[in-house]
Amino acid sequence: MATSSVSKGCFVFKPSAKKKKKTLSLESYFVQGCEDAESSEIRFRLCQELWDEIKTDTEVLQDELNRTILDSLLDFTRKCSSTRQNSDWTSQMRASEIPTAALMLGVNVPDHDMTFQSLSDMLKQSVSPHVASVQAKECGALKHLMKKVLERLMDTVVVVDDEDEEENVETSPRVHRSMHCSLGILCDWYTARTKKSPTGTPGKKRSSQVRDEQQQPPVVIIFKDLEAFNPRVLQDFILICSQYIDRLPLTFIFGIATSPSTIQHMLPHSVSSLLCIELFQSLSCTQHLATVIDKLILASRIHFKLNGKVMQVLIGVFLYHDFSVRNFIKGLQLALLEHFHSQPLSVLCCKKKQALFNVTQLSKPNLDRIRQLPSFKRYVEKQEAQEQVNLMTDDSHLKEVCQQLIKDLHKYHKNYYPILRCLHTLTSSLPRYPLGKQIRELYLICLAKNVWENEDYQSAMKLVKMLAKGEMVSLLQKCVEILQLSKSKKMKNALVQLEELLAKFKQLDTATEMTPTVEASIPSPIKNLQKKTDLFQLQKTLLEMNESRRAKRLSPFENLRNEALEFIDNLVKSHLSPPESQPLYEVCYYSSSATVRRHLNATPRTSIQAALSNPYYYLQNDSLKSEDGTVSNTAPDICIAYKLHLECGRLINLYDWLEAYSTVVSAAEGNDQDSENFGKVDEVKQYPFRKKYFSQIILCCCCLSVLLSE
């Protein structure tokens, strides 16, 4: 194909229809590049099953979180529809206004699409089939807004001018011809669709009224991103709709990300007075994230786990970039896929019964990988000399030990999360939140090191000792409710002991708490001091006072409180050790935070420079490998031009640049050993510039100038 001119070089030439690429399945993509090909199929199946479980739990959780706000919106639209049928004065006054629901969704904009999709589906199912959703990017002018609303309500193509009409009439069989796109056409269409059938009898007044309400459903228009709309376009649309409110039962839903004052800033009083606005507040994104972490991360039934650094990356992206729970779950999916793809021992990251069976099927290379795990090495160092030899040489003995370690790891997770929630319950309401207000903050502390060695933990325990009886009993009751959900034997024993402590707290009465202490019966040494005394006598007296205070008898409540805190402290030290302390924790925990950060926090300029400097990084073609500091003649043209540009410094001579480029490319066109490989790279990966490179280099220069000027 001739590409002698610059203009032809700008086009992308599609491959011929004869060459059909084979589409690989998901399993084939997963298997490619796996370190252990034997277990790749099993790992793919486990990964898919685990992700399906997480996806199902996410959808159920999303429905539960949106149920309250969506039910409120459905009731609002039903109420507005029934209000128009009443004949009292208040209803008639409201009928002259457009019912509007201001839905506060928060700044987690990527998650709004799921909410509006669920809202639209529920409205169509239970309230009205006439629902239209519009976005600001497709409604830059009033005619575009009117066109989108009419098309989505009437399910047809609406043309605006003569040119569009002539083009669309030939191509589209369903065209509603309209020189001026107006709501009058929508009113006529709505009247025809909701025309009452003369089947009701005069004697049944109540049934006919219900039938009228059913035959006149509201017309709901959803503005997904109100802040992004042009205020003038929105004002004109509302003014037009207000003229047809007596013929068309309109209802607006405004999706607001910032604050309700946005409506006042965008709409003047003359326009906002035409709306009957009611505010609806959805769950905040941080509360949504806390629920997701509690259900998906802090759950022993989900065997895949994230270490502290990966958790910090995902939470950091959420807090400092998009506030999107949907993207947080996508990051979790990425970590899940990377773990099962890059870790051959992830074949043990599954249910206990399946994991124990997979241990018996481990190959010799995988057993050697277990011996190389840092956690297993620490475990071996703690064993006796003969046991160490057996673990490092006997494969059958190693499998038996690994089965026991897998059981211990599952028990560890079953005991870990209930105690974590109990500790969070006790400390989340303390002043200044020493261990964090959200459970994710406490979880990150526990993942990093022993939480009881933290200074914040010591200060939190001191603050808990200052709680009153009612507060202490309430917190312990919540801990009892948490432990009741656990099926672990150790947690059941802890539950029995905690219930006994709680029963003792409830048996205390006010008189017992107010029992006078020994301090009241001991005469104060201060009264025995003389007016003039020496330093020795004063020191002696102060020591006596200190000993008397130490000998003070604690009240029954203080004794019980200290006993309860000691019990909680023992549970924390027994079950909240970091995951790194558990042998074989690597099979369940994903720890490559750099990989997650590189995929989620991609910097475009850095990626472009990496692609231009080292094309092999993305193209993965062996012929593109080159030593550092060299310019390979097999590289794409733009990569050669970029490397030559880097050698020239800040100021560049265009003639020298072209000559250097000509020299490098000419080496590829001669009898160079890489010329055959170059032909393959040129055919598949790069633009056809080589044949007439002196004209096409101008395009390379233009591309580089654009890239480097950003």
Side-chain angles (χ1 to χ4, degrees):
M1 184 178 293
T3 56
S4 58
S5 66
V6 176
S7 60
K8 289 183 180 179
C10 296
F11 291 97
V12 177
F13 298 99
K14 297 182 179 181
S16 60
K18 298 180 181 179
K19 298 180 180 179
K20 294 183 178 180
K21 295 183 178 180
K22 295 181 179 180
T23 57
L24 298 178
S25 61
L26 294 177
E27 184 176 356
S28 300
Y29 277 112
F30 184 89
V31 171
Q32 288 181 355
C34 282
E35 186 175 352
D36 184 17
E38 297 179 359
S39 63
S40 58
E41 296 181 359
I42 301 177
R43 285 149 54 192
F44 174 76
R45 178 175 53 82
L46 293 176
C47 178
Q48 197 169 29
E49 291 176 356
L50 189 55
W51 172 245
D52 291 340
E53 183 180 358
I54 294 176
K55 185 179 179 181
T56 303
D57 294 344
T58 303
E59 293 175 353
V60 173
L61 181 62
Q62 185 72 28
D63 293 339
E64 292 177 355
L65 293 175
N66 289 335
R67 183 176 301 169
T68 303
I69 186 68
L70 295 182
D71 290 346
S72 301
L73 286 170
L74 293 179
D75 294 339
F76 171 78
T77 53
R78 293 192 189 98
K79 181 181 66 176
C80 295
S81 178
S82 61
T83 300
R84 294 188 178 95
Q85 308 298 329
N86 298 330
S87 59
D88 57 325
W89 181 82
T90 305
S91 301
Q92 293 298 326
M93 289 295 295
R94 289 293 181 91
S96 62
E97 301 174 348
I98 302 177
T100 304
L103 180 57
M104 297 296 302
L105 292 174
V107 294
N108 50 333
V109 178
D111 297 341
H112 293 179
D113 291 337
M114 295 187 297
T115 304
F116 282 118
Q117 184 62 40
S118 301
L119 175 61
S120 179
D121 295 340
M122 295 178 67
L123 285 172
K124 290 180 180 180
Q125 292 176 3
S126 59
V127 179
S128 172
H130 314 307
V131 180
S133 299
V134 292
Q135 288 181 299
K137 62 182 180 181
E138 57 188 10
C139 304
L142 179 61
K143 63 178 181 179
H144 298 149
L145 177 57
M146 297 285 290
K147 176 181 172 65
K148 293 297 180 183
V149 170
L150 266 64
E151 284 181 348
R152 291 170 184 175
L153 287 175
M154 301 168 63
D155 192 20
T156 185
V157 179
V158 178
V159 295
V160 179
D161 48 32
D162 295 335
E163 296 179 358
D164 293 342
E165 185 176 4
E166 292 176 0
E167 296 177 358
N168 292 333
V169 166
E170 298 178 358
T171 58
S172 178
R174 299 182 299 114
V175 176
H176 188 85
R177 303 168 183 248
S178 173
M179 296 298 295
H180 301 285
C181 189
S182 65
L183 288 183
I185 300 172
L186 182 61
C187 293
D188 297 338
W189 172 85
Y190 181 81
T191 303
R193 291 291 298 268
T194 60
K195 188 175 181 180
K196 294 183 293 184
S197 57
T199 56
T201 57
K204 297 183 179 180
K205 185 176 181 180
R206 180 177 179 83
S207 61
S208 63
Q209 182 178 357
V210 174
R211 189 181 300 109
D212 291 345
E213 294 179 8
Q214 294 177 351
Q215 292 178 351
Q216 294 183 355
V219 177
V220 183
I221 303 176
I222 302 175
F223 299 85
K224 292 184 177 180
D225 46 353
L226 184 70
E227 290 92 343
F229 274 86
N230 187 340
R232 189 61 189 174
V233 172
L234 193 62
Q235 295 171 21
D236 293 342
F237 182 76
I238 294 175
L239 289 173
I240 294 174
C241 290
S242 64
Q243 303 299 321
Y244 294 89
I245 191 62
D246 55 339
R247 300 172 54 190
L248 200 63
L250 290 169
T251 300
F252 291 162
I253 297 179
F254 290 161
I256 303 175
T258 53
S259 66
S261 60
T262 303
I263 300 177
Q264 301 176 356
H265 297 157
M266 296 184 65
L267 305 177
H269 181 267
S270 58
V271 178
S272 61
S273 60
L274 302 175
L275 305 176
C276 180
I277 302 175
E278 187 171 340
L279 184 64
F280 295 88
Q281 181 72 46
S282 67
L283 193 67
S284 66
C285 55
T286 53
Q287 292 175 329
H288 191 176
L289 177 66
T291 308
V292 169
I293 290 178
D294 184 69
K295 300 296 183 181
L296 300 182
I297 305 296
L298 307 181
S300 59
R301 57 185 178 80
I302 304 295
H303 307 289
F304 171 72
K305 306 297 178 183
L306 304 175
N307 77 335
K309 292 183 179 179
V310 179
M311 279 287 296
Q312 287 179 345
V313 170
L314 294 181
I315 294 175
V317 171
F318 175 85
L319 294 177
Y320 300 108
H321 287 80
D322 51 16
F323 290 100
S324 173
V325 178
R326 182 181 183 183
N327 291 345
F328 180 87
I329 297 174
K330 288 294 183 181
L332 178 63
Q333 181 184 12
L334 170 65
L336 174 69
L337 184 61
E338 286 286 339
H339 178 68
F340 279 91
H341 184 266
S342 60
Q343 175 60 273
L345 296 178
S346 60
V347 69
L348 305 179
C349 182
C350 53
K351 296 180 180 180
K352 183 173 66 174
K353 185 177 180 180
Q354 180 67 27
L356 296 179
F357 174 77
N358 291 342
V359 168
T360 61
Q361 304 299 319
L362 289 176
S363 60
K364 176 66 175 178
N366 283 335
L367 293 176
D368 293 336
R369 291 187 180 96
I370 290 179
R371 293 187 176 102
Q372 297 300 322
L373 293 177
S375 62
F376 187 78
K377 288 182 178 180
R378 292 193 295 267
Y379 171 78
V380 173
E381 292 174 357
K382 297 178 182 178
Q383 307 302 317
E384 298 179 356
Q386 184 60 37
E387 180 67 15
Q388 293 181 7
V389 174
N390 294 335
L391 290 174
M392 301 305 293
T393 58
D394 190 353
D395 292 344
S396 59
H397 180 68
L398 177 60
K399 290 181 179 180
E400 295 177 359
V401 173
C402 286
Q403 286 182 333
Q404 184 59 42
L405 294 179
I406 290 295
K407 293 179 181 179
D408 295 340
L409 186 61
H410 281 262
K411 292 179 182 178
Y412 166 78
H413 287 144
K414 288 183 179 180
N415 299 329
Y416 184 92
Y417 297 111
I419 301 303
L420 179 71
R421 291 188 174 91
C422 290
L423 182 59
H424 173 69
T425 301
L426 291 173
T427 60
S428 59
S429 59
L430 296 177
R432 298 184 180 180
Y433 310 108
L435 292 179
K437 186 178 181 180
Q438 302 288 340
I439 193 171
R440 54 180 167 81
E441 302 174 63
L442 176 61
Y443 184 51
L444 290 177
I445 296 175
C446 295
L447 289 177
K449 61 178 182 179
N450 293 329
V451 65
W452 59 88
E453 297 177 356
N454 197 323
E455 295 181 358
D456 294 332
Y457 176 82
Q458 303 298 333
S459 59
M461 290 296 102
K462 292 179 181 178
L463 291 174
V464 173
K465 287 184 179 181
M466 301 174 63
L467 295 177
K469 176 187 173 182
E471 296 175 342
M472 193 68 185
V473 171
S474 177
L475 294 177
L476 292 179
Q477 183 62 43
K478 293 180 181 178
C479 293
V480 168
E481 296 174 359
I482 293 173
L483 295 180
Q484 286 176 347
L485 301 176
S486 178
K487 299 180 180 179
S488 173
K489 293 181 179 180
K490 292 185 177 180
M491 292 299 101
K492 290 182 178 179
N493 295 333
L495 174 62
V496 173
Q497 298 180 32
L498 191 58
E499 287 178 343
E500 292 177 356
L501 288 174
L502 192 60
K504 293 179 181 179
F505 272 107
K506 294 181 179 180
Q507 291 175 359
L508 294 177
D509 52 5
T510 308
T512 306
E513 293 183 20
M514 299 302 294
T515 301
T517 60
V518 182
E519 184 181 2
S521 59
I522 298 177
S524 177
I526 299 179
K527 298 180 180 179
N528 299 329
L529 286 177
Q530 301 176 0
K531 293 182 179 180
K532 293 182 180 181
T533 182
D534 54 1
L535 184 60
F536 176 76
Q537 184 66 26
L538 178 61
Q539 185 179 5
K540 182 180 178 181
T541 305
L542 292 177
L543 289 174
E544 292 177 357
M545 292 175 59
N546 191 20
E547 291 179 359
S548 64
R549 290 180 178 177
R550 289 182 180 178
K552 182 183 69 172
R553 186 170 57 186
L554 298 177
S555 65
F557 167 69
E558 292 173 336
N559 288 325
L560 276 177
R561 183 177 59 189
N562 293 340
E563 184 180 354
L565 292 180
E566 183 179 358
F567 173 72
I568 295 294
D569 185 66
N570 292 333
L571 289 178
V572 169
K573 293 180 180 180
S574 302
H575 303 294
L576 281 190
S577 57
E580 285 80 1
S581 63
Q582 304 299 314
L584 301 186
Y585 83 95
E586 291 92 345
V587 303
C588 295
Y589 283 82
Y590 180 71
S591 58
S592 181
S593 59
T595 303
V596 177
R597 184 182 292 106
R598 185 173 67 250
H599 283 87
L600 299 183
N601 282 346
T603 53
R605 186 180 181 88
T606 304
S607 302
I608 292 173
Q609 290 177 348
L612 294 177
S613 302
N614 184 17
Y616 174 76
Y617 184 79
Y618 289 104
L619 299 181
Q620 296 294 318
N621 192 306
D622 294 335
S623 62
L624 297 177
K625 289 183 178 180
S626 61
E627 299 179 358
D628 295 338
T630 61
V631 181
S632 174
N633 51 30
T634 61
D637 292 324
I638 194 170
C639 298
I640 297 175
Y642 178 72
K643 284 193 173 183
L644 294 174
H645 178 273
L646 294 179
E647 294 179 356
C648 297
R650 183 175 180 182
L651 299 177
I652 186 170
N653 188 310
L654 184 58
Y655 178 79
D656 295 339
W657 192 15
L658 295 176
E659 286 294 329
Y661 176 83
S662 174
T663 303
V664 174
V665 175
S666 298
E669 294 182 351
N671 296 326
D672 189 78
Q673 60 180 354
D674 295 332
S675 60
E676 296 180 0
N677 294 332
F678 162 73
K680 298 178 182 179
V681 176
D682 180 65
E683 180 183 356
V684 179
K685 296 294 183 183
Q686 65 179 359
Y687 297 107
F689 288 160
R690 288 291 171 88
K691 298 300 181 182
K692 302 292 182 180
Y693 54 81
F694 278 112
S695 59
Q696 277 75 22
I697 185 61
I698 300 175
L699 183 60
C700 292
C701 297
C702 296
C703 295
L704 280 176
S705 63
V706 173
L707 293 174
L708 298 175
S709 63
E710 293 182 355

